[in-house]
Amino acid sequence: MTTQRKPLSTTTRRNEVSRRAILTAAFELVQEVGYARLSIEGIAARAGVGKQTIYRWWPSKGAVLFDAFLMLSERPDGEGSALPDTGDLEADLKTVLRATIEELNDPRYDEPMRALNTEITHDPALAALYAERLDGPMRELKKQRLRSAQRAGQLAGGLNLDVAVDMLWGPLLNRWLQRSGALTPDYADSIVETALNGLRPRREGLRSLP
Amino acid sequence: MTTQRKPLSTTTRRNEVSRRAILTAAFELVQEVGYARLSIEGIAARAGVGKQTIYRWWPSKGAVLFDAFLMLSERPDGEGSALPDTGDLEADLKTVLRATIEELNDPRYDEPMRALNTEITHDPALAALYAERLDGPMRELKKQRLRSAQRAGQLAGGLNLDVAVDMLWGPLLNRWLQRSGALTPDYADSIVETALNGLRPRREGLRSLP
Amino acid sequence: MTTQRKPLSTTTRRNEVSRRAILTAAFELVQEVGYARLSIEGIAARAGVGKQTIYRWWPSKGAVLFDAFLMLSERPDGEGSALPDTGDLEADLKTVLRATIEELNDPRYDEPMRALNTEITHDPALAALYAERLDGPMRELKKQRLRSAQRAGQLAGGLNLDVAVDMLWGPLLNRWLQRSGALTPDYADSIVETALNGLRPRREGLRSLP
Amino acid sequence: MTTQRKPLSTTTRRNEVSRRAILTAAFELVQEVGYARLSIEGIAARAGVGKQTIYRWWPSKGAVLFDAFLMLSERPDGEGSALPDTGDLEADLKTVLRATIEELNDPRYDEPMRALNTEITHDPALAALYAERLDGPMRELKKQRLRSAQRAGQLAGGLNLDVAVDMLWGPLLNRWLQRSGALTPDYADSIVETALNGLRPRREGLRSLP
DNA sequence: CTTTAAGCGAGACGGTACGTCCGGTCTTCGT
DNA sequence: ACGAAGACCGGACGTACCGTCTCGCTTAAAG
């Protein structure tokens, strides 16, 4: 896998054009034909590349897919733009979760992301890489926003932020993966509200106390 | 798929022995060799059955897997035993989530369940069946427990119970599928506590008000 | 290899159409593209057959080629027609050797026969089969003609007929395989004459003695 | 091919060490793994040489093999030592043919020679080169011995010596290539005797005539 | 005595074919 | 009539080599 590509030892004569062609082909193919019909041969053919060039640099179909996502996620120069922070945590979270839903519902990303999830679920090594390179950075942004809210006293002090992130995005992703219900903006709102307030009853009247 | 097996029209000359052998073989195979190496041929060979017998009765590998789970879930006579209801919602939920975690961590179920999830995520028809026959009944039990708590005033009145269930099990399943962290009993506890109380700070002192 | 095809055990459900298509395709292909470019994939494609069907029934490319020759050689119903026997041994042998030369020079047979020879030279098992099924019967016919001549007193009494056959056909085949010279009818004649008379001088005058 | 190596134009900066390493590797490899598994990559690897160095100087695998034989055959300083000439043609020929048989039966030469023959049979250009550089000189030696016998009246006057050589070595080589029988010293003797005397009966008694 | 250009080891590259596995379909036989 | 057995066409697997193509390095020649 192209994990340590940056240093690129002087003796590594890797063809960058082929690399990008392969990743692009993989991403496009999986979105066109679906995960089940995604084949290394197909990727090689579409990329105009020999199969060996894929096997030389990636250990599995999932690794190719992973790098394809990595390439996409690295598009922006400044890399990670922070999550919106208007001071209104609830509104900000709803914005972000609605955006997540939109992406999951986008036919351009739906199949590829399901494919990546499938590979991750069956390959711990890939999962570790995913945690480090893709999920990790994103999760850090989310935790930053939550930390900011915590400082503003909008979140419980002892809160485990990883659990908090799971509470917000877990339900969404699970509903998407298991197709256990429609992913609507309303659902995003419900998740945010319920997560913030908790399942227990809150004494609403007390909120306005001095 | 064996969806309408109950009526068993008189003309259905289906061999029940073969059926069970196939489902058992499928379940055992996937747990032994993993999802990627699970093949219809392998199932047929292990079940001592012709391939055609599988193709005759199931439309896909996922459908076989699904029926295998269905068979397992129907073992108990009384079918659906309700969730524990000691009156202490938090404790009951922790018990149940810890049990869920134990099952997901059980090597006998881990691979098969990942396989089923993979099939569901890539096959809407299977997902619908899953929602109806496997997830649905289980979700109903969960909601019953929550309704009971709601009646006891332990849950917010306007609560959408489906969202509540998602809030409790979603994070767990997502962490399991994406392998984004260890599934420990502590994690289950955290989820339950955070879900019940919400992410916002609670004025603890007020709880003791009349 | 299809060595014991005749009995065709009742459980062998071999597709005769595919078999003939494969053998025909192999023969035609080798004569069109040559031995070096002859591939199992090519044969399968031209025969409209899955590769596995070839690998199921033949252990090697050479074996397919061998069976292709076998099929061709079995065309005639009565199988083995004897060699011409006009009573004039020298004339008969020249006729037969000239025919052999014509066949070797025929572009339809040249490449295929070279290919078969190559396979035989590198595969003793195939060579044994060749000796038994193709070369053997032909050699028997040749020896029959020589035996007839021997009875007529036209050949030396203690002659080893296998050596005699080698003396007649060996030079020809060797010149053809090694391309060490043109295969002309005159060459056939020279071989026959020299083989019959020997390299030593004959006292011509003594021939007319009583 | 290294046909005109001797003049070695002043601009040819060819590495003689690599050249010998390649030829040696080729010869050893073919005798170890056989013709079918002989690959340019394998030769390059064993010779510790880049593939390009082979492709730069030889047009084909067969050409490398040919040069390997050429290198071996050039070992002796004086190049071509004549065939034995004791005056007894029959004995001399038996000696030489027995030596030929021994070489063909030698496992060190068997596979390589079969390989070379295979390349020759499928490549006319190589065959021409073979005729000129390897077979030619050897054949000339054989013909010299026969000419000497002819002068001594031991061979027929009008004899075509090329045919004579073919009559003696053709049967041998053909039996070897087609594996149609064991190559024993007795077989060599039979060939020599039969070739010299011819297949026809000889009036033995007349030999002692004045 | 530097330049400079070739030969060289190395090995990536686009390809072709290998021999195997499996997917789905179809056919034959035995129960 | 069903089911086991398995042949069949086809597609993909992961590997081995093909012949071409850079890359730096070494080395001999021409300036």
Side-chain angles (χ1 to χ4, degrees), chain D residues 165-197:
Chain D
V165 170
D166 286 359
M167 295 285 306
L168 287 162
W169 275 270
L172 218 67
L173 290 167
N174 196 242
R175 177 176 275 227
W176 169 65
L177 276 178
Q178 298 203 335
R179 301 172 182 276
S180 48
L183 285 187
T184 62
D186 277 1
Y187 182 70
D189 293 354
S190 300
I191 292 290
V192 171
E193 290 164 16
T194 314
L196 288 177
N197 296 327

Side-chain angles (χ1 to χ4, degrees), chain A residues 20-84:
Chain A
R20 303 190 88 87
I22 289 165
L23 299 183
T24 303
F27 193 88
E28 290 173 359
L29 258 186
V30 80
Q31 104 192 10
E32 284 172 23
V33 307
Y35 171 71
R37 279 184 241 279
L38 178 67
S39 67
I40 299 262
E41 288 214 338
I43 296 171
R46 174 183 276 244
V49 139
K51 276 198 290 179
Q52 197 57 50
T53 301
I54 298 182
Y55 285 109
R56 182 150 39 226
W57 299 108
W58 290 275
S60 69
K61 206 158 59 179
V64 177
L65 226 31
F66 173 81
D67 267 13
F69 273 90
L70 210 53
M71 182 177 67
L72 285 186
S73 78
E74 281 170 354
R75 279 259 172 83
D77 45 303
E79 182 111 0
S81 44
L83 261 47

Side-chain angles (χ1 to χ4, degrees), chain C residues 158-209:
Chain C
L159 195 61
N160 178 331
L161 292 189
D162 271 312
V163 169
V165 169
D166 285 0
M167 295 285 305
L168 288 162
W169 274 270
L172 217 68
L173 289 168
N174 195 242
R175 176 175 277 226
W176 169 66
L177 274 179
Q178 298 203 333
R179 298 172 183 276
S180 48
L183 286 187
T184 61
D186 278 1
Y187 182 71
D189 293 353
S190 299
I191 292 291
V192 171
E193 289 163 18
T194 313
L196 287 179
N197 296 326
L199 304 174
R200 289 201 224 273
R202 292 223 170 215
R203 257 125 305 177
E204 300 289 336
L206 297 182
R207 273 206 193 156
S208 51
L209 280 184

